[in-house]
């Protein structure tokens, strides 16, 4: 069986002398199964501190990677070379640069990430971007300028790659990273990592590279690029690309594009007219974006338009409008919220009451009629409290409510206020977990 066939190579490697090395070579003859080959090749790492034998082992393993039509043997030999450490460094880099099998290039490159990135050489950085994976199996070791080392405790391969690339920020290296971001061959996970790296680098070239991502069809990439661009304030000259996103297939991208344009063009009369027209768009995502854009304007007309969106037929639009009205905290919104509480049910109704409490600092319960009576009595004279005072009052109420109170409609102590709830039970080998999804 496979286990029996592995033992000769392991036994001979343990002897560690020249005769054992020669005999071990014969033990590889005829092996075809990749796991058996890998065990036999891995045993050669026992010769790593045997001087001349270590060099012979590296040479033989490199020859094994060149066997045509045997990718399994090449992968097994590449993994063994990684175990050999420093004596195999040059050979591993040669595999990254020239081997025809992508999986072999990746095995070699993953182990070389720290040493390839150490000098911030653009050619080496290009090898990492083109060939390194971001999901290497845990426990893999790395060749670094300091030797052959495991990752830091708990550090994933993605974190190793991020840490190795982060210090590299020369114009030449930026050009390599920009090329990787543009390339259709670059994996999605790599593009997300590159966008993350640009978050700490400023300049018109970075903004231009991120703006180029806006042409992607992948909504996650576009949203991440938008987020970083917004943080860097790099919108100048890219309005046309942002407007093109209003036609994107992904609803989240369309919503985000309206929101970003609303912040960017808050004083633009033409854009104000555009936003007003979006209030009647059949696309809920566009109406959600319009709510964010209206909140940026902060005019009486914009506030009135937000009040209109609070009674939108689409639940998601009402949630968006409620969030921005809560942030604006205008007295004129209070009677509108009371009216909305009379119409809403379930979670949305509870959220409206929560906003009323945070705006007023008061609690008239979960009955809209009580809030209506209070407003009719004191509305004209009422003055909004400062936000910190209203928040402190809410925290105090929640603490009082939690003392000795048992919630009947709950899951593991979390109150359920939604009317349509699904519970998903995870009974996998990893354990039992309960998750509530609204």
């Amino acid at each position: 069986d496979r286990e029996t066939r592995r033992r000769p190579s392991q036994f001979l490697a343990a002897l560690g002398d020249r005769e054992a090395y020669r005999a071990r070579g014969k033990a590889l003859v005829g092996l075809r199964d990749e796991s058996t080959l890998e065990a036999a090749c891995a045993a050669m790492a026992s010769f790593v501190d045997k001087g001349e034998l270590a060099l012979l082992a590296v040479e033989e393993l490199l020859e094994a990677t060149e066997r045509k039509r045997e990718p399994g043997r090449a992968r097994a030999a590449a993994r063994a070379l990684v175990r050999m450490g420093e004596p195999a460094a040059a050979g591993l880099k040669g595999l990254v640069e020239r081997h025809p099998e992508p999986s072999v290039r990746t095995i070699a490159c993953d182990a070389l990430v720290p040493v390839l990135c150490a000098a911030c050489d653009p050619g080496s950085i290009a090898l990492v971007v083109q060939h390194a994976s971001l999901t290497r199996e845990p426990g893999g070791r790395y060749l670094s300028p300091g030797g052959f080392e495991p990752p830091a405790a708990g550090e994933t391969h993605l974190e190793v790659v991020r840490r190795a690339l982060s210090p590299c920020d020369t114009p030449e290296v930026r050009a390599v990273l920009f090329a990787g971001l543009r390339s259709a061959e670059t994996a999605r996970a790599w593009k997300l990592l590159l966008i993350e790296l640009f978050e700490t680098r400023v300049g018109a070239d970075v903004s231009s590279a991120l703006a180029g991502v806006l042409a992607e069809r992948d909504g996650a990439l576009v949203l991440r690029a938008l987020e970083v661009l917004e943080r860097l304030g790099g919108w100048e000259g890219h309005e046309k690309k942002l407007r093109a996103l209003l036609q994107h297939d992904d609803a989240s991208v369309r919503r985000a594009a309206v929101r970003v344009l609303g912040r960017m063009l808050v004083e633009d009369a033409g854009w104000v007219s555009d936003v007003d027209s979006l209030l009647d768009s059949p696309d809920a995502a566009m109406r959600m974006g319009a709510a964010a854009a209206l909140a940026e304007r902060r005019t009486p007309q914009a506030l009135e338009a937000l009040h209109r969106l609070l009674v939108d037929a689409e639940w998601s639009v009402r949630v968006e409008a409620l969030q921005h009205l809560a942030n604006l905290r205008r007295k004129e919104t209070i009677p509108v919220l009371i009216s909305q509480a009379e119409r809403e049910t379930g979670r949305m109704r509870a959220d409206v009451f929560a906003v009323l409490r945070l705006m007023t600092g008061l609690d008239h319960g979960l009955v809209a009629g009580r809030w209506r009576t209070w407003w009719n009595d004191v509305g004209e004279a009422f003055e909004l409290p400062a936000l910190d005072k209203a928040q402190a009052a809410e925290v105090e109420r929640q603490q009082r409510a939690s003392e000795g109170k048992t919630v009947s409609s709950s899951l593991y102590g979390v109150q359920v206020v939604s009317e349509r709830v699904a519970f998903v039970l995870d009974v996998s080998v990893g354990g039992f977990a309960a998750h509530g999804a609204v």
Side-chain angles (χ1 to χ4, degrees), residues 183-265:
S183 174
E185 303 299 318
T186 304
R188 178 176 185 259
W190 256 107
K191 290 193 175 187
L192 287 169
L193 176 58
L194 292 173
I195 293 171
E196 180 183 337
L197 290 173
F198 295 144
E199 196 165 5
T200 58
R201 306 174 188 194
V202 297
D205 56 343
V206 172
S207 297
S208 180
L210 291 170
V213 180
L214 304 185
E216 293 269 4
R217 296 182 64 85
D218 188 321
L221 288 176
V222 175
L223 288 171
R224 189 70 180 98
L226 280 172
E227 180 184 351
V228 176
L229 266 172
E230 191 168 12
R231 192 167 298 163
L232 296 177
W235 296 119
E236 188 174 352
H238 303 304
E239 180 183 340
K240 185 176 180 180
K241 291 179 180 178
L242 283 168
R243 285 185 176 272
L245 294 180
L246 301 178
Q247 308 301 321
H248 200 278
D249 293 339
D250 191 313
S252 296
V253 171
R254 297 195 299 274
R255 169 186 171 274
V258 178
R259 178 182 58 78
V260 172
L261 283 165
R263 180 168 295 181
M264 178 181 174
L265 303 174

Side-chain angles (χ1 to χ4, degrees), residues 181-419:
L181 195 58
R182 289 192 302 268
S183 174
E185 303 299 318
T186 304
R188 178 176 185 259
W190 256 107
K191 290 193 175 187
L192 287 169
L193 176 58
L194 292 173
I195 293 171
E196 180 183 337
L197 290 173
F198 295 144
E199 196 165 5
T200 58
R201 306 174 188 194
V202 297
D205 56 343
V206 172
S207 297
S208 180
L210 291 170
V213 180
L214 304 185
E216 293 269 4
R217 296 182 64 85
D218 188 321
L221 288 176
V222 175
L223 288 171
R224 189 70 180 98
L226 280 172
E227 180 184 351
V228 176
L229 266 172
E230 191 168 12
R231 192 167 298 163
L232 296 177
W235 296 119
E236 188 174 352
H238 303 304
E239 180 183 340
K240 185 176 180 180
K241 291 179 180 178
L242 283 168
R243 285 185 176 272
L245 294 180
L246 301 178
Q247 308 301 321
H248 200 278
D249 293 339
D250 191 313
S252 296
V253 171
R254 297 195 299 274
R255 169 186 171 274
V258 178
R259 178 182 58 78
V260 172
L261 283 165
R263 180 168 295 181
M264 178 181 174
L265 303 174
V266 66
E267 302 294 339
D268 186 283
W271 173 246
V272 169
S273 177
D274 290 342
V275 172
D276 290 341
S277 67
L278 292 179
L279 296 174
D280 298 315
S281 170
D283 184 355
M286 301 295 266
R287 302 198 301 277
M288 292 170 70
L294 289 166
E296 292 292 333
R297 279 163 50 188
R298 299 174 180 269
T299 62
Q301 295 78 11
L303 186 66
E304 184 178 346
L306 267 175
H307 290 166
R308 283 176 52 197
L309 290 177
L310 193 61
V311 297
D312 194 275
E314 188 67 37
W315 179 82
S316 59
V317 178
R318 300 201 302 276
V319 169
E320 182 91 19
L322 180 63
Q323 175 184 333
H324 294 294
L325 288 169
N327 292 336
L328 289 173
R329 298 188 81 241
R330 298 291 179 83
K331 178 179 175 179
E332 305 94 292
T333 299
I334 294 176
V336 178
L337 290 174
I338 294 172
S339 296
Q340 192 62 21
E342 293 170 334
R343 288 186 287 265
E344 293 288 359
T345 59
R347 181 55 184 264
M348 185 64 183
R349 181 169 176 269
D351 287 347
V352 172
F353 283 127
V355 173
L356 278 168
R357 293 194 300 272
L358 285 171
M359 289 184 68
T360 64
L362 304 173
D363 183 9
H364 294 292
L366 302 179
V367 178
R370 294 177 183 171
W371 285 93
R372 176 74 65 191
T373 299
W374 164 78
W375 184 251
N376 289 339
D377 289 343
V378 303
E380 288 294 327
F382 182 73
E383 293 185 8
L384 287 181
L387 177 59
D388 57 345
K389 292 184 178 180
Q391 289 174 329
E394 180 69 2
V395 169
E396 184 179 348
R397 280 191 293 269
Q398 291 178 357
Q399 289 174 342
R400 288 200 307 267
S402 66
E403 293 174 359
K405 180 179 179 181
T406 300
V407 180
S408 58
S409 298
S410 66
L411 176 68
Y412 288 88
V414 178
Q415 187 176 11
V416 178
V417 296
S418 298
E419 294 183 319

Side-chain angles (χ1 to χ4, degrees), residues 130-154:
Q130 292 165 11
H131 303 303
S133 74
L134 296 177
T135 56
R136 191 187 190 198
E137 292 183 5
R141 301 174 77 185
Y142 299 89
L143 279 161
S144 71
F148 190 50
E149 303 170 353

